[in-house]
Amino acid sequence: MLSALEHGLNTITPVDLPGTLSDAADLDKYCADWSGLHGGRPALVYRPRSSEDVARIVRHHQGEQQRITIQGGLTGLAGGAVPDEGDIVISMERMDRIEAFDEIGGTVTVQAGVVLARLAETVEAQDWYFPLDIGARGSCQVGGNIATNAGGNRVLRYGPMRDLVLGLEVVLADGRIVPMMNSVLKNNTGPDLKHLFIGTEGTFGIVTRAVLRLFPKPAARRSALCAVPSFAKVAALLKAARGRLPGLSSFEVMWEDFLLASSRALGRAMPFAQAHPIYVLIEAEGGATPQMQDIFEGFLGEMIEEGMASDVIVAQNHEQSHALWALRDAIGELLKSLSPFVSFDVGIPLRATGEYIERARAQLQAAFPSTSHLFFGHLGDGNLHIVSGPHASEADQLKVDEIVYRLVEEVGGSISAEHGIGRIKKPFLHMSRSEIERQLMAQLKATLDPAQRLNAGRIL
Amino acid sequence: MLSALEHGLNTITPVDLPGTLSDAADLDKYCADWSGLHGGRPALVYRPRSSEDVARIVRHHQGEQQRITIQGGLTGLAGGAVPDEGDIVISMERMDRIEAFDEIGGTVTVQAGVVLARLAETVEAQDWYFPLDIGARGSCQVGGNIATNAGGNRVLRYGPMRDLVLGLEVVLADGRIVPMMNSVLKNNTGPDLKHLFIGTEGTFGIVTRAVLRLFPKPAARRSALCAVPSFAKVAALLKAARGRLPGLSSFEVMWEDFLLASSRALGRAMPFAQAHPIYVLIEAEGGATPQMQDIFEGFLGEMIEEGMASDVIVAQNHEQSHALWALRDAIGELLKSLSPFVSFDVGIPLRATGEYIERARAQLQAAFPSTSHLFFGHLGDGNLHIVSGPHASEADQLKVDEIVYRLVEEVGGSISAEHGIGRIKKPFLHMSRSEIERQLMAQLKATLDPAQRLNAGRIL
C-alpha cells in the first residue's frame, strides 16, 4: 500500500475549512471501518457546511492529481464511497440543515447530509410524509439516497428516490454550482438535468441540496401475510392487489426456505400450521375508516375464494404487523449465520421470475449442495434479492456471481435493481448495459468531468 | 420564402425508402397545415418503418447541410415539429407497431409512431390500463409524448410520461441505435440514459421504440364538482384528498369566470344555484365496491362539514360524470371565441398560486380591460393554464407574455409545465432556467449532436 506521502500529500495546501482532517492519526481512525473494503487512506477529509464550501474545495484542488471521493452516510453496498489511497474525501455529514418546509405545497428543501430518519421524523411531526424507507434509515443521508437512487419497501407506490426529487443542486467537477431547485411537479423547460445526477453515484457531480416531494401522512397502515400456492398465482395476486387494494404500498415475496430460516433466526414457529411454497407480505396505506378495513379484509377473503391465496394472516394491530415485518427484516440476523455470503439485488421481469428462480436455485444447489441459497424480494417492483452462503473462497464467490448474473443477462434483467454499481459490480456491468450505452456513459463523463476526478473508477 | 432548390435539394440523393415524399407538389400538400407557423417546405419527407431505416436516413445524410426535423402526430403546442425550409423530415407515422404485450408483468413494447388512443384501447381490451391521457389522444403519437414528456389530467396519480417509460430506444445524430429497452421498474446500473431523451424534444436523439408501464384497469371512476370558498381552502382540500381519498387521479381547478364562460359555451346554466369563487373537479379511480362509493361520498361530506367545500355535486353515473368533465373540456370551444388568444401552461408552487393569480389578473385587467383572462389548471400538479384574448396585435400578445412570465419568474415557477419549449417559448427560457443550466444543456447538445442537425433551433 502506498502512503499518502508518496501520493504527493506534501504538495497539497488544504482549503482552510473548520473540521478538516489532515493529520495521519485522525485519518487512520476515520477510515478504520473500511480497511477491509480494498480502500486506502485519504490525504484529506473535508467536512464542508455549504455548497460554496464544496465548490471552493473542488476548484482549489483543480490541476492536482488527487481524485475526490464523496461520502454520505457510508451505508452503500457497492463500495462507491470508499476512497483510494491519497484521495481527497468530501464528507457531507455537516451539511445537515433542513432549510425550508413548505407545508402548503408539501415540499422540503434540504442539504445533502441530512440523515433520512431525521427528515422522515421532522416532516411526520407536521403531518406530512416522506415515503422512502430503507434499512439504513438511521445513518444514510439524503444526498447518498439521491446519488444511488435508493429504493426500499415502498417503491411500488411512491417510486424510487428519483421520483421524490423535485429540485437539485450539484457542484460540477469544475467547481460550478448548478442550481436546479425546481419545486413544481410538472416542469417541461428543456432537458431535466437533475436526472444526470440522480443514480449516477457521484460520478457526474456532487449533490449538495435538494427539494423533495412530500405526501400527506397516511392515517393507517394495514398488513397481512398471504400463503400462496405457486409462483403463477403470485403474479395474479399482484395484479389483483394493484387494481383492487387502495393504497397498496408493499408486496414482499419470500420463498419457503427464506421464511423457514427467518422464523428459526427469530426463535419462532412458522406463521402457518401448514407449509406453503411462497409467502407474500402485503401492506396498504390509507384512511383509518372502517370501510378501508372492510376493503382490506374483503380483498384478502376474495383472494382465498379465487384461489390466489391458500391462507392469510391479517395483522389486527401494530404489534402483529410488526411481527409480520420482523420475518421479512430478519435478513439482517440471517446474514450473520451465512457469512461469508454473496448477496444479490437483481431486477427480473415478472414473467420470467418463476423460471429464473427455478434455474438459479438448481444451478446453485448443484454447484454448492451444502450452502444456503435464499430468495426474497420486492416483487411488486421486479426486485429480487438472493443470498448464498457461506462461501469461504473468492473463487467460489465468483462462481456464484457468474451463475446468478449469467441468468439475469439471459432474461434481460438488471444486475443491480437498487444498490448500484459502485466498485463491486463493475465487472458485471456489461451484462446489463450494452456496448453503446457504456460508450454514451463514457462520453457524458468526459463532458462533465474530463479529468476523471469525481468518484473515479466507479460504475464504468 | 426560399425554394427547396435554392437550399440545394438538387444535390441530395435520397435513401431509397418506400413512401418518401420528394416531389414539390406532394411536399406542398404535406406541409399545407403549418404554413402559418413560420415553418418552411422540407426538402424530403421520409416515412420509415423501422429503427434501422431511421438510422440509415441519419447516417446517409451526414455531412450534408440539411437539418433533420422529427415529426410525430403534429399536435404539439410549442412549434417543435415544424421544419425549416429545406429540412429533411422524418415522420414516424408508419412506425406504428405494438410489438409485444406482457400481460403478466404489465408492460407493452411499441414503436414510436403508435397513436396514444390506439395504445390505450389495445391494452384496455386486455384489462390493463395506460393512464396518460391528453386532449390530442386521437392523433398524438407515443414517441411525441415521450419527446415532450406529456402530462395531462392524471399526472397527480401516475406522473407524467417520464414515469411511464421503462425502456427506450433512440437513434443518435451519428446514426447509432441506442438500445435501452429495460422492462423492470428498478434498475440502478449506472446513468439512466433514457432521461437524456425524455422531454428533450428530439434535440438529443430520435425516439424510435419504448417499453411502457401499464396499470390494472380501474373498475370504477368517480367524479364530483366542489364549490370552494377561497383559494386557501383549495390547498387544504388538495392535501385532504391526497391523504383520505383512495385513488385520487384528478384535481382540476377552475376560477369562477372560467366556469361562467364554459357554461355559456355549452349553453347550460351554472352547475350550482349560488356563485362561488373557485370550483374543483375531483376524480378518483378504484374498485367498484359499495365501500369505495361510501368512502368517496363520505369524504365529500366531511369536506363540507370541515368548511373546505361550500357545496358538492357528485356524479351518479357515467353521463353525469361526462357532463361535469364537459365544463372543464369546454376550453376547446372557448378558445374559438377568444381568438386570436395567448395561452399559457405554467408551473407555480402551490403556496404562491393564490397570490400569483391575483397579481396576474390585476395586471392583465389593467393593461387589457376589455379582453377575457381565464384561469384553470391541474392544480394537483401545480400546473396553471391561462388564456387571454382576443389580442389582435403582436405587440399586445408580447405584452401579455411579459406580464405572465415575469410573475412566473418572481415566484420561481416554470414557464412550461407540460407543453415544452419548442420554438415558441425559446425567448423566455431564461426566466425558468439559469445561465449555468443553459450552458450545461448546450454542452450536452454539443456532445450528442455536435453538428446541430436534430431538431435544430428548438429549446436553446
Side-chain angles (χ1 to χ4, degrees):
Chain A
M1 199 158 98
L2 296 174
S3 78
L5 213 88
E6 288 170 272
H7 270 79
L9 173 58
N10 52 346
T11 68
I12 301 182
T13 316
V15 179
D16 181 24
L17 268 188
T20 299
L21 308 179
S22 56
D23 179 83
D26 288 346
L27 291 168
D28 278 339
K29 202 163 72 180
Y30 183 81
C31 62
D33 284 351
W34 350 295
S35 51
L37 282 170
H38 309 289
R41 187 171 70 172
L44 281 172
V45 176
Y46 284 113
R47 293 182 290 175
R49 291 202 181 272
S50 70
S51 310
E52 290 68 28
D53 285 351
V54 174
R56 249 178 85 203
I57 295 165
V58 173
R59 276 198 305 267
H60 178 87
H61 291 290
Q62 271 194 327
E64 293 172 6
Q65 280 178 32
Q66 273 72 17
R67 290 164 163 185
I68 294 171
T69 284
I70 309 144
Q71 293 189 337
L74 295 171
T75 63
L77 296 170
V82 178
D84 286 316
E85 181 76 17
D87 273 9
I88 287 163
V89 163
I90 301 179
S91 165
M92 306 305 281
E93 64 195 285
R94 294 185 181 196
M95 288 186 60
D96 63 350
R97 275 205 314 279
I98 296 178
E99 297 182 344
F101 185 6
D102 177 354
E103 294 182 51
I104 293 172
T107 66
V108 63
T109 305
V110 297
Q111 285 187 306
V114 169
V115 169
L116 177 61
R118 193 177 135 236
L119 169 66
E121 285 156 19
T122 304
V123 303
E124 286 189 36
Q126 307 290 325
D127 212 30
W128 283 97
Y129 181 53
F130 186 69
L132 187 89
D133 190 43
I134 58 178
R137 65 184 74 83
S139 41
C140 67
Q141 296 172 7
V142 169
N145 298 149
I146 294 170
T148 60
N149 186 29
N153 293 333
R154 298 186 193 126
V155 171
L156 180 59
R157 181 161 159 81
Y158 298 98
M161 190 65 174
R162 183 185 300 282
D163 295 1
L164 304 171
V165 178
L166 292 172
L168 201 63
E169 182 194 80
V170 301
V171 172
L172 297 179
D174 60 13
R176 279 181 295 171
I177 300 176
V178 189
M180 306 168 283
M181 295 291 273
N182 168 60
S183 67
V184 291
L185 196 55
K186 282 158 96 174
N187 187 342
N188 274 345
T189 49
D192 195 347
L193 297 170
K194 65 173 179 276
H195 295 290
L196 278 175
F197 307 100
I198 299 173
T200 50
E201 305 186 26
T203 59
F204 289 174
I206 305 173
V207 170
T208 47
R209 292 164 71 223
V211 183
L212 303 174
R213 188 180 177 200
L214 303 176
F215 294 78
K217 187 175 156 191
R221 186 168 282 141
R222 298 179 176 83
S223 34
L225 185 66
C226 304
V228 182
S230 69
F231 185 76
K233 297 290 185 188
V234 171
L237 179 63
L238 175 60
K239 187 181 176 193
R242 289 176 69 199
R244 288 146 69 177
L245 198 52
L248 176 70
S249 53
S250 296
F251 191 91
E252 299 289 310
V253 177
M254 296 168 273
W255 272 259
E256 187 181 7
D257 42 10
F258 179 91
L259 204 70
L260 271 166
S262 67
S263 299
R264 203 179 307 127
L266 296 171
R268 290 205 225 151
M270 283 284 273
F272 297 95
Q274 268 190 289
H276 302 271
I278 306 181
Y279 302 87
V280 181
L281 182 54
I282 287 180
E283 190 163 270
E285 297 174 345
T289 59
Q291 293 104 320
M292 287 293 280
Q293 186 68 23
D294 268 10
I295 292 174
F296 189 71
E297 293 181 7
F299 169 77
L300 295 167
E302 283 163 29
M303 291 303 98
I304 290 181
E305 276 170 39
E306 295 174 25
M308 294 200 226
S310 315
D311 205 349
V312 170
I313 295 169
V314 180
Q316 296 301 329
N317 53 42
H318 186 70
E319 286 65 41
Q320 290 183 10
S321 169
H322 191 77
L324 293 182
W325 274 97
L327 291 166
R328 166 65 178 80
D329 294 338
I331 182 65
E333 288 305 304
L334 279 177
L335 286 183
K336 289 177 200 158
S337 67
L338 300 181
S339 195
F341 57 83
V342 195
S343 72
F344 301 91
D345 153 54
V346 297
I348 309 282
L350 191 62
R351 68 170 186 286
T353 302
E355 191 203 335
Y356 176 88
I357 287 173
E358 269 178 43
R359 293 177 63 195
R361 193 195 302 274
Q363 292 185 23
L364 289 169
Q365 279 174 347
F368 304 100
S370 59
T371 55
S372 294
H373 314 288
L374 302 180
F375 293 80
F376 60 104
H378 318 295
L379 265 273
D381 322 320
N383 184 183
L384 184 69
H385 291 298
I386 306 170
V387 178
S388 175
H391 293 286
S393 75
E394 279 203 20
D396 282 359
Q397 293 178 9
L398 192 64
K399 191 163 178 189
V400 176
D401 281 342
E402 277 165 9
I403 290 173
V404 169
Y405 288 137
R406 191 164 13 84
L407 291 172
V408 169
E409 192 179 14
E410 279 182 37
V411 299
S414 150
I415 63 154
S416 177
E418 56 183 12
H419 296 171
I421 299 298
R423 298 175 185 274
I424 291 171
K425 295 187 198 161
K426 247 176 78 164
F428 305 100
L429 183 66
H430 67 95
M431 299 176 109
S432 273
R433 305 295 295 268
S434 60
E435 170 77 24
I436 293 181
E437 285 176 283
R438 286 177 281 128
Q439 285 169 6
L440 204 47
M441 292 179 198
Q443 275 181 276
L444 291 173
K445 178 73 173 171
T447 301
L448 293 165
D449 181 16
Q452 308 275 332
R453 295 171 70 223
L454 297 183
N455 277 6
R458 278 74 158 186
I459 300 179
L460 270 184
Chain B
M1 200 159 100
L2 296 175
S3 78
L5 213 89
E6 288 170 274
H7 271 78
L9 173 58
N10 53 346
T11 69
I12 300 182
T13 317
V15 179
D16 181 25
L17 269 187
T20 299
L21 308 179
S22 55
D23 179 83
D26 288 346
L27 292 168
D28 278 339
K29 201 162 74 181
Y30 184 81
C31 62
D33 284 352
W34 351 294
S35 51
L37 283 169
H38 308 289
R41 187 171 70 172
L44 282 171
V45 176
Y46 285 113
R47 293 182 291 176
R49 292 201 181 271
S50 71
S51 311
E52 290 68 28
D53 285 351
V54 174
R56 249 179 85 203
I57 295 166
V58 173
R59 275 197 306 268
H60 178 87
H61 291 289
Q62 272 193 328
E64 293 173 6
Q65 281 179 33
Q66 274 73 17
R67 291 165 163 185
I68 295 171
T69 284
I70 309 145
Q71 293 189 338
L74 296 171
T75 63
L77 296 170
V82 177
D84 286 315
E85 180 76 17
D87 273 9
I88 287 163
V89 164
I90 301 179
S91 165
M92 307 304 281
E93 64 194 285
R94 294 185 181 196
M95 288 186 61
D96 63 351
R97 276 205 313 280
I98 296 179
E99 297 182 342
F101 184 9
D102 176 354
E103 293 182 54
I104 293 172
T107 66
V108 64
T109 305
V110 296
Q111 284 188 307
V114 170
V115 169
L116 177 62
R118 193 177 135 233
L119 170 67
E121 285 156 21
T122 303
V123 302
E124 286 188 36
Q126 307 289 324
D127 212 29
W128 283 97
Y129 181 53
F130 186 69
L132 187 88
D133 191 41
I134 58 178
R137 66 185 74 83
S139 43
C140 67
Q141 296 173 7
V142 168
N145 298 150
I146 293 171
T148 59
N149 186 30
N153 293 333
R154 299 186 193 126
V155 171
L156 179 60
R157 180 161 160 80
Y158 298 97
M161 190 66 176
R162 183 186 300 282
D163 295 2
L164 304 172
V165 178
L166 292 171
L168 201 63
E169 181 194 81
V170 301
V171 172
L172 297 179
D174 60 13
R176 279 182 293 172
I177 300 177
V178 189
M180 306 168 283
M181 295 291 274
N182 168 60
S183 67
V184 290
L185 196 55
K186 283 158 94 173
N187 187 341
N188 273 344
T189 48
D192 196 347
L193 297 171
K194 65 173 178 276
H195 295 290
L196 278 175
F197 307 100
I198 300 173
T200 50
E201 305 185 25
T203 60
F204 289 176
I206 305 173
V207 171
T208 47
R209 292 164 70 223
V211 182
L212 303 174
R213 188 180 177 200
L214 303 176
F215 294 78
K217 187 176 156 190
R221 185 166 285 140
R222 298 178 176 82
S223 34
L225 185 67
C226 305
V228 182
S230 68
F231 186 77
K233 298 290 184 187
V234 171
L237 178 64
L238 175 61
K239 187 181 176 194
R242 288 177 68 198
R244 288 146 71 176
L245 197 53
L248 176 70
S249 52
S250 297
F251 191 91
E252 300 288 311
V253 177
M254 296 167 273
W255 273 259
E256 187 182 6
D257 41 9
F258 179 91
L259 205 69
L260 270 168
S262 67
S263 299
R264 203 179 309 128
L266 296 171
R268 291 205 223 151
M270 283 285 272
F272 297 95
Q274 269 190 287
H276 302 272
I278 306 181
Y279 302 86
V280 180
L281 181 56
I282 287 180
E283 190 163 271
E285 296 174 344
T289 60
Q291 293 103 321
M292 286 293 281
Q293 186 68 23
D294 269 10
I295 291 173
F296 188 72
E297 292 181 6
F299 169 77
L300 295 167
E302 284 163 28
M303 291 303 98
I304 290 182
E305 277 169 39
E306 294 173 27
M308 294 200 225
S310 316
D311 204 349
V312 171
I313 296 169
V314 180
Q316 297 301 328
N317 52 43
H318 186 70
E319 285 65 41
Q320 290 183 10
S321 169
H322 191 77
L324 293 182
W325 275 96
L327 290 166
R328 165 67 177 79
D329 294 339
I331 182 65
E333 289 305 303
L334 280 177
L335 286 182
K336 289 177 199 159
S337 67
L338 300 180
S339 195
F341 57 82
V342 195
S343 73
F344 301 91
D345 153 54
V346 298
I348 309 282
L350 191 62
R351 67 168 188 288
T353 303
E355 192 202 335
Y356 176 87
I357 288 173
E358 270 177 41
R359 293 178 61 195
R361 193 195 302 274
Q363 292 185 24
L364 288 170
Q365 279 174 346
F368 304 100
S370 59
T371 56
S372 294
H373 315 287
L374 302 180
F375 294 79
F376 61 104
H378 318 294
L379 265 272
D381 322 320
N383 185 181
L384 185 69
H385 291 297
I386 306 170
V387 178
S388 175
H391 292 286
S393 76
E394 280 203 19
D396 282 359
Q397 293 178 9
L398 192 65
K399 191 163 178 190
V400 175
D401 282 341
E402 276 165 7
I403 290 173
V404 169
Y405 288 138
R406 191 164 12 82
L407 290 171
V408 169
E409 191 179 15
E410 279 183 37
V411 299
S414 150
I415 63 154
S416 177
E418 56 182 13
H419 296 170
I421 299 299
R423 299 174 184 274
I424 292 171
K425 295 188 197 161
K426 249 176 75 163
F428 306 101
L429 183 66
H430 67 96
M431 299 176 109
S432 273
R433 305 296 294 270
S434 61
E435 170 77 23
I436 293 180
E437 285 177 284
R438 286 177 282 129
Q439 284 170 7
L440 204 47
M441 292 179 199
Q443 275 181 276
L444 292 172
K445 178 71 174 173
T447 301
L448 294 165
D449 181 15
Q452 308 274 334
R453 296 172 70 223
L454 298 182
N455 277 6
R458 278 75 159 186
I459 299 180
L460 272 183

